[in-house]
Amino acid sequence: MSGTTTAGAREAADVPAHRAGPHTAGSANRWTVLVVLCASLLLVAIDATVLHVAVPAVSEDLRPGSIQLLWIVDAYPLVCASLLILFGTLGDRVGRRRVLLFGYALFAVASALAAYAHSPEVLIAARALLGVGGAMIMPATLSILRQVFPDRRERALAVGIWSAVAAVGAAVGPLVGGLLLEHFWWGSVFLINIPLMAASLPVGRWLLPESVSDRNGPWDVLGALMAAAGLCGVIFGVKRAGSGELLSPGTLMPLAVGVTLIALFVRRQRRRPHPLIDFGTLTRAAFGTSVGCIVLTVLALVGLALMAAQYLQLVLGLSPLETGLRLLPLSVAAIAAGLAGSRMLRLLGPRTMVALGFLVTALAVLCLTGVGQEDKPAVLVGGFVLLGFGLETTLFGCYESMLSEAPPEQSGGAAAVGETAYQLGAGIGIALLGSVMNAAYGPGVRGVHGVPGAASADASHSLGEAYEVAARLGGPQGSALREAARSAFVDGLHVTLYVSAGLLLLGALAALRLPGRMECAPSKERARRDAPSVTAP
């Protein structure tokens, strides 16, 4: 691949923010740097999943509408996806560690606001602010990792550890959230971020190396804002479409404006001598295909994570802690896949590894169609294990190929593109699969015998609302509505699973464009791995 065979020449383009001193980030401490970066990732990963088990408690306390509830969940990925390119490329210019530390501080402040939110609007705003902090943190961790691990074999191992930590966060999030909800109010799931981020600030300032790219020319502020506004418009429009307003002006206008701004951004970057994003890199098969596969993977699965939590709590009646424990096999399998990813990549190559991951994940999704209104632990555990292993295998192969193809001096922008793909896939996935779920669920609760039309309409919005309406009605009418809603939710979940399986099979076909073998850079690049491309403070 061109990105790996010329990596040694590019490495010299990444120049330290300060002259190399005795504490350069060479072989002695790059693994320590990885530990710090993984700790950063762990915090963000926990926050991304901890809210899933808290959604019913948030709904009961704040009484958000169905659209507000979607925004409580989606504000974080919307804002984060919109700003990743802005902060990723800014880190390349002003210092990746500097942006990362600002992200730590902002994440702590936003967590405090979210914990004590007294209305849905305040919680949505706090989640949006968390998205800003996440947009600072995520690309910085990957871009610093790219700098301190120039050798692809070591970088593959580092990416495997990095992705395994993400899976740990996914596992710890629901468990911690469930445990806290057993004893405290829902806001406590955000408070855990504050001491962890407060500790990360001095540790990161002390241990993390600073690095900037020696790229001539000014940072394209207008281009960064165009990208942010364009992505925000596209995702906002998709969310409106997912709420059932497909042809409304509130959906079509943001979509049109967003697509136009993104097209203008691409045109602007192609014409600039010093672009934020080198679209020549994106057109390479390995990079572009990896980004597309990330979108497809997350699009197919992210909505299912939220639906799975609702299924376990609302259909099976499990507590938040029990829900976290039921989801644990998925994350444990993902951890195993992340740790084994480096060896699998060497043995199978990117093409086979990513395609196999898609197929295993599709098989897992089809297995989960065996769930129903009664608890089937064996089906759930087997499906979640396959799901976690396949998902992590796919994402590992995509991220590693994408990072290896990107020039080191553009590592922040490349990491931002990958994380944008992830968050964009998450936003579209929740909207798309949510639309599929609503289309399949709604008819099942309308027209229930003896239930007034207005009550049926309210119940058709979500399973949680159906339970509230059933409780108000009481008697045989309430029981009939409750049973109809449970049955309709399970039917809708099955339809959503089939749609997800189809998307995953498309991903397996797309993965055939990836390189067949893991090509490593010339051996002299290994000699450069201790070169002063990054420096400690």
Side-chain angles (χ1 to χ4, degrees):
M1 297 187 301
S2 59
T4 55
T5 55
T6 61
R10 293 179 182 138
E11 203 71 32
D14 202 56
V15 176
H18 310 286
R19 288 292 181 184
H23 301 291
T24 56
S27 58
N29 68 348
R30 62 184 181 276
W31 296 104
T32 305
V33 170
L34 176 64
V35 171
V36 178
L37 295 177
C38 287
S40 307
L41 175 67
L42 181 64
L43 299 177
V44 178
I46 288 175
D47 195 75
T49 59
V50 73
L51 189 63
H52 288 174
V53 296
V55 166
V58 171
S59 298
E60 183 178 353
D61 185 25
L62 299 183
R63 301 290 180 179
S66 58
I67 301 300
Q68 288 178 318
L69 185 60
L70 279 176
W71 275 105
I72 288 172
V73 176
D74 296 347
Y76 177 90
L78 170 64
V79 174
C80 190
S82 301
L83 299 178
L84 282 165
I85 290 177
L86 188 154
F87 287 120
T89 57
L90 180 63
D92 285 342
R93 298 301 180 95
V94 305
R96 294 157 185 134
R97 184 189 65 179
R98 181 177 302 170
V99 172
L100 181 65
L101 296 182
F102 272 112
Y104 288 165
L106 187 58
F107 213 82
V109 172
S111 296
L113 291 175
Y116 294 101
H118 56 80
S119 69
E121 293 79 11
V122 173
L123 183 55
I124 292 170
R127 289 280 290 169
L129 197 60
L130 280 168
V132 178
M136 293 180 175
I137 294 170
M138 292 303 292
T141 60
L142 268 180
S143 59
I144 293 174
L145 185 149
R146 176 67 179 89
Q147 300 305 316
V148 298
F149 289 96
D151 179 74
R152 185 171 185 181
R153 291 184 182 87
E154 288 189 345
R155 184 166 61 248
L157 177 59
V159 171
I161 296 172
W162 184 90
S163 58
V165 168
V168 171
V172 171
L175 284 174
V176 171
L179 182 61
L180 290 172
L181 289 173
E182 291 285 331
H183 303 284
F184 305 102
W185 91 114
W186 59 264
S188 62
V189 302
F190 295 106
L191 287 181
I192 60 174
N193 296 330
I194 298 175
L196 296 175
M197 286 296 178
S200 296
L201 273 168
V203 172
R205 176 68 180 82
W206 177 45
L207 289 178
L208 288 179
E210 181 62 286
S211 64
V212 296
S213 294
D214 187 28
R215 298 173 65 188
N216 297 321
W219 182 58
D220 184 10
V221 179
L222 178 59
L225 293 176
M226 289 172 62
L231 287 168
C232 184
V234 168
I235 299 177
F236 180 82
V238 169
K239 289 182 184 299
R240 289 291 299 266
S243 66
E245 302 178 44
L246 183 60
L247 299 178
S248 69
T251 298
L252 297 178
M253 287 184 63
L255 277 174
V257 172
V259 170
T260 301
L261 285 174
I262 291 175
L264 292 174
F265 169 75
V266 173
R267 182 182 180 186
R268 177 181 176 87
Q269 298 308 300
R270 287 187 178 277
R271 293 183 174 185
R272 288 181 66 85
H274 306 287
L276 290 174
I277 302 294
D278 181 5
F279 283 92
T281 300
L282 283 175
T283 57
R284 296 172 186 158
F287 192 96
T289 302
S290 296
V291 171
C293 287
I294 290 172
V295 173
L296 273 175
T297 304
V298 181
L299 188 154
L301 293 170
V302 69
L304 294 180
L306 185 59
M307 292 178 198
Q310 293 177 346
Y311 168 78
L312 293 172
Q313 291 186 73
L314 298 178
V315 176
L316 298 186
L318 302 181
S319 69
L321 181 58
E322 290 171 331
T323 298
L325 291 173
R326 284 296 184 92
L327 293 171
L328 185 59
L330 186 153
S331 297
V332 171
I335 293 169
L339 294 176
S342 178
R343 177 166 296 186
M344 290 174 60
L345 187 65
R346 291 197 301 270
L347 292 175
L348 301 176
R351 180 191 303 159
T352 302
M353 181 177 181
V354 174
L356 180 63
F358 272 119
L359 292 176
V360 171
T361 309
L363 176 62
V365 168
L366 292 175
C367 288
L368 289 174
T369 58
V371 301
Q373 297 185 50
E374 303 298 327
D375 192 4
K376 297 181 180 179
V379 174
L380 286 172
V381 170
F384 285 160
V385 167
L386 287 176
L387 189 64
F389 192 88
L391 171 63
E392 184 60 25
T393 298
T394 303
L395 291 177
F396 172 88
C398 292
Y399 272 109
E400 198 285 332
S401 297
M402 182 195 71
L403 280 180
S404 296
E405 191 70 13
E409 68 272 13
Q410 297 179 22
S411 58
V417 170
E419 292 301 325
T420 299
Y422 190 101
Q423 298 294 348
L424 186 63
I428 296 175
I430 290 176
L432 175 62
L433 297 185
S435 299
V436 173
M437 180 69 179
N438 291 336
Y441 165 79
V445 294
R446 298 191 190 102
V448 178
H449 181 69
V451 176
S456 296
D458 292 339
S460 67
H461 294 155
S462 69
L463 183 58
E465 289 191 49
Y467 283 179
E468 292 181 4
V469 173
R472 290 199 303 267
L473 291 174
Q477 294 177 335
S479 298
L481 178 61
R482 185 180 180 89
E483 288 303 313
R486 291 177 77 242
S487 176
F489 185 90
V490 172
D491 291 341
L493 181 61
H494 289 168
V495 173
T496 306
L497 289 168
Y498 285 123
V499 172
S500 297
L503 293 171
L504 291 165
L505 292 177
L506 287 177
L509 293 175
L512 299 179
R513 297 187 68 243
L514 289 171
R517 298 178 60 186
M518 176 184 175
E519 299 179 21
C520 295
S523 58
K524 64 181 180 181
E525 184 188 1
R526 180 183 294 247
R528 288 190 176 92
R529 68 188 178 191
D530 297 334
S533 59
V534 289
T535 61

